[in-house]
């Protein structure tokens, strides 16, 4: 009898630890990937979650627990109009536990979230590009008023140049319309202050950048400001705004 009691106690502890280990895989910050066509951020804490879904539900928080392969949630605070008081979600992790797939039980499609450790990773995830920025010994300065900048992000994949903007641009054919729309939205006295702020991965060759600049120079914005690496960019607070520095280039 005593041996049976000990075995039951050990088994209970093992199952409890296993459950907590599963829950610990979630703890931290998660953001929807750039190919999801929506922006949702989730923070998992031990007993609660905070979800930011600006397009539909707003910001809300839940109590949560893991039951088998499901997340069970109960609403704590809701600033939106469409969130249910209770919900059950199916989930899957990738092998390295840095990608989380979530779907409602009634849905057939999983939504993909990436674990985010700092504010630089938050940007990379949002635009869908890894950015190892170039370095320089030349003096660097801030680009100024962010309302006057059009961001262009450049990387490479399989020897092809990848171009993104804050609107998740995938093809150059749409760039002209984005730039003209941005340019036209500004007052006449502001237009001389507009600039392209160009983020480039170090894998990009000078000739690649020159080719892209040739295309950009045909558009109404004429100034180029290139961003360079700075250790002060990276903050543990994943949504801290980054004060980018760089220099004007031709």
């Amino acid at each position: 009898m005593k041996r049976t009691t000990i075995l039951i106690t050990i088994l209970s502890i093992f199952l409890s630890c296993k459950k907590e280990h599963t829950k610990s895989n979630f703890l931290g910050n998660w953001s929807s990937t750039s190919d999801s066509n929506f922006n949702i951020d989730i923070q998992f804490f031990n007993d609660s979650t905070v979800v930011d879904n600006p397009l539909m539900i707003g910001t809300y928080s839940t109590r949560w627990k893991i039951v088998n392969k499901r997340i069970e949630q109960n609403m704590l605070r809701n600033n939106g109009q469409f969130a249910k008081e209770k919900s059950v979600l199916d989930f899957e992790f990738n092998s390295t536990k840095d990608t989380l797939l979530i779907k409602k039980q009634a849905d057939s499609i999983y939504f993909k979230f990436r674990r985010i450790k700092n504010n630089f990773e938050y940007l990379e995830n949002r635009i869908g590009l890894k950015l190892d920025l170039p370095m320089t010994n030349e003096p660097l300065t801030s680009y100024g008023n962010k309302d006057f900048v059009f961001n262009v992000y450049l990387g490479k994949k399989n020897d092809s140049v990848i171009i993104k903007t804050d609107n998740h641009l995938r093809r150059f054919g749409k760039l002209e319309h984005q730039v003209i729309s941005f340019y036209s939205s500004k007052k006449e006295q502001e237009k001389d202050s507009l600039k392209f702020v160009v983020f480039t991965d170090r894998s990009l060759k000078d000739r690649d950048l020159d080719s892209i600049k040739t295309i950009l120079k045909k558009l109404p914005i004429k100034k180029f400001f290139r961003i360079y690496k700075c250790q002060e960019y990276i903050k543990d607070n994943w949504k801290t705004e980054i004060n980018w520095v760089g220099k004007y280039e031709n």
Side-chain angles (χ1 to χ4, degrees), residues 89-153:
L89 304 172
D90 295 330
F91 73 87
E92 293 182 7
F93 281 106
N94 69 343
S95 60
T96 54
K97 300 294 193 299
D98 60 2
T99 300
L100 172 63
L101 304 177
I102 297 178
K103 76 175 184 68
K104 296 178 181 178
Q105 284 190 297
D107 294 342
S108 58
I109 299 175
Y110 281 91
F111 294 108
K112 186 189 299 184
F113 294 82
R114 192 85 67 205
R115 184 189 296 277
I116 307 297
K117 297 177 182 177
N118 56 57
N119 55 343
F120 196 85
E121 286 188 3
Y122 187 77
L123 168 73
E124 290 180 317
N125 180 67
R126 183 171 60 81
I127 62 176
L129 278 179
K130 286 288 186 181
L131 288 175
D132 183 8
L133 295 171
M135 300 178 67
T136 181
N137 293 322
E138 296 183 38
L140 301 176
T141 185
S142 170
Y143 58 60
N145 191 333
K146 66 180 181 180
D147 293 333
F148 297 157
V149 307
F150 188 97
N151 293 322
V152 179
Y153 308 94

Side-chain angles (χ1 to χ4, degrees), residues 39-54:
N39 294 319
I40 298 178
D41 296 329
I42 306 175
Q43 291 177 281
F44 282 95
F45 303 98
N46 278 313
D47 298 317
S48 64
T49 69
V50 176
V51 182
D52 184 16
N53 182 356

Side-chain angles (χ1 to χ4, degrees), residues 12 17 20 51 62 71 83 95 98 162 169 173-174 184:
S12 298
C17 290
E20 288 304 311
V51 182
T62 72
I71 303 171
S95 60
D98 60 2
I162 305 297
L169 179 72
K174 297 180 180 179
S184 301

Side-chain angles (χ1 to χ4, degrees), residues 50-62:
V50 176
V51 182
D52 184 16
N53 182 356
L55 289 181
M56 292 187 61
I57 303 174
T59 301
Y60 65 96
S61 59
T62 72

Side-chain angles (χ1 to χ4, degrees), residues 23-235:
K23 196 170 186 179
S24 71
N25 291 330
F26 291 84
L27 300 182
N29 308 317
W30 300 83
S31 188
S32 54
T33 57
S34 64
D35 55 358
S36 299
N37 296 320
F38 62 86
N39 294 319
I40 298 178
D41 296 329
I42 306 175
Q43 291 177 281
F44 282 95
F45 303 98
N46 278 313
D47 298 317
S48 64
T49 69
V50 176
V51 182
D52 184 16
N53 182 356
L55 289 181
M56 292 187 61
I57 303 174
T59 301
Y60 65 96
S61 59
T62 72
R63 292 282 184 192
W64 72 292
K65 61 181 179 180
I66 301 298
V67 179
N68 297 322
K69 288 285 289 182
R70 293 187 173 92
I71 303 171
E72 293 188 359
Q73 299 182 108
N74 290 280
M75 189 67 65
L76 284 174
R77 178 178 58 83
N78 179 17
N79 293 336
Q81 300 178 357
F82 305 104
K84 296 180 179 179
E85 290 301 313
K86 294 184 179 181
S87 62
V88 179
L89 304 172
D90 295 330
F91 73 87
E92 293 182 7
F93 281 106
N94 69 343
S95 60
T96 54
K97 300 294 193 299
D98 60 2
T99 300
L100 172 63
L101 304 177
I102 297 178
K103 76 175 184 68
K104 296 178 181 178
Q105 284 190 297
D107 294 342
S108 58
I109 299 175
Y110 281 91
F111 294 108
K112 186 189 299 184
F113 294 82
R114 192 85 67 205
R115 184 189 296 277
I116 307 297
K117 297 177 182 177
N118 56 57
N119 55 343
F120 196 85
E121 286 188 3
Y122 187 77
L123 168 73
E124 290 180 317
N125 180 67
R126 183 171 60 81
I127 62 176
L129 278 179
K130 286 288 186 181
L131 288 175
D132 183 8
L133 295 171
M135 300 178 67
T136 181
N137 293 322
E138 296 183 38
L140 301 176
T141 185
S142 170
Y143 58 60
N145 191 333
K146 66 180 181 180
D147 293 333
F148 297 157
V149 307
F150 188 97
N151 293 322
V152 179
Y153 308 94
L154 305 173
K156 293 199 83 171
K157 184 177 181 181
N158 299 327
D159 292 327
S160 297
V161 177
I162 305 297
I163 304 153
K164 299 287 186 75
T165 72
D166 290 325
N167 294 320
H168 301 307
L169 179 72
R170 289 180 173 82
R171 293 180 299 177
F172 239 134
K174 297 180 180 179
L175 179 60
E176 180 180 358
H177 300 102
Q178 291 187 40
V179 174
I180 291 174
S181 177
F182 174 76
Y183 183 83
S184 301
S185 70
K186 302 303 177 184
K187 298 177 182 178
E188 198 62 37
Q189 63 268 28
E190 297 173 337
K191 290 181 178 179
D192 285 342
S193 300
L194 301 182
K195 60 181 73 72
F196 289 113
V197 172
V198 183
F199 298 74
T200 58
D201 187 81
R202 291 175 65 182
S203 63
L204 211 71
K205 305 296 184 184
D206 287 342
R207 64 176 180 272
D208 296 324
L209 182 57
D210 289 341
S211 296
I212 292 166
K213 281 183 176 181
T214 298
I215 297 173
L216 294 177
K217 285 177 180 178
K218 297 177 182 179
L219 300 174
I221 300 173
K222 301 303 179 185
K223 296 178 182 178
F224 293 87
F225 189 93
R226 190 177 184 187
I227 299 298
Y228 285 85
K229 181 173 289 187
C230 176
Q231 292 302 321
E232 296 180 4
Y233 291 155
I234 300 176
K235 307 292 183 185

